[in-house]
Amino acid sequence: MTDKPPRQPGPTPEPATTDLARPHRGVAVSGEDGQEGRKAFYIHIEALPGKEQEVLRMLEDILGCVREEPATGPWYAVQYAHRVFGIFEVFPDRAGRQAHVEGGGGDIFRDLRRMNAILARPAHVHRLDVLMGKEIFARR
């Protein structure tokens, strides 16, 4: 058995480093727009040490914005580890995803002062195509 460091959660773990560039630009984006159809974002977020509560407040602020967005469907904030969070959100099409980017949630990520004060590195936004899904919870 080897003693490998634990894998950081998320689709593309960021390289471990202690020399993080400061200030950073708030977000990094990867993935393609793809063909028309349902779209999603997975956003990987890492808090600076001691800033976890501020990241939770940021997630609450984003949720407040997306509740008013007609083209934002399922939206989930998740926590993988003490300082590692994520957002998974689904849109009916590219236009809906773009409207979200231009809306209040996007404004929060464009607040570089806030992002640099609470995030260890830029939030990594992954553009995704939704292939299939289950839209509702089963009844118990």
Side-chain angles (χ1 to χ4, degrees), residues 16-30:
T17 179
T18 56
D19 184 30
L20 299 174
R22 312 274 322 150
H24 56 70
R25 59 188 171 107
V27 297
V29 180
S30 64

Side-chain angles (χ1 to χ4, degrees), residues 9-140:
T12 309
E14 302 295 334
T17 179
T18 56
D19 184 30
L20 299 174
R22 312 274 322 150
H24 56 70
R25 59 188 171 107
V27 297
V29 180
S30 64
E32 300 176 8
D33 275 335
Q35 299 297 315
E36 194 54 65
R38 288 184 295 171
K39 300 295 176 188
F41 279 140
Y42 167 73
I43 305 171
H44 187 84
I45 301 165
E46 183 180 339
L48 282 166
K51 298 295 183 175
E52 298 84 8
Q53 290 303 311
E54 287 86 345
V55 169
L56 286 173
R57 277 194 291 282
M58 176 193 75
L59 293 171
E60 291 169 350
D61 292 346
I62 294 169
L63 177 57
C65 294
V66 301
R67 283 185 172 139
E68 304 302 318
E69 295 175 355
T72 299
W75 186 97
Y76 300 95
V78 297
Q79 185 171 11
Y80 293 105
H82 184 67
R83 292 180 31 223
V84 182
F85 301 84
I87 297 172
F88 181 75
E89 51 198 354
V90 180
F91 312 92
D93 51 29
R94 287 190 301 218
R97 186 168 65 182
Q98 187 59 35
H100 172 68
V101 168
E102 294 169 2
D107 287 342
I108 290 170
F109 280 109
R110 285 186 286 275
D111 182 349
L112 296 184
R113 180 173 293 188
R114 182 180 189 184
M115 294 301 99
N116 277 280
I118 65 174
L119 300 185
R121 58 181 42 90
H124 190 156
V125 178
H126 299 266
R127 291 185 193 116
L128 307 171
D129 289 332
V130 176
L131 301 178
M132 59 191 80
K134 180 181 174 205
E135 303 295 329
I136 59 171
F137 289 98
R139 292 182 185 232
R140 292 181 187 217

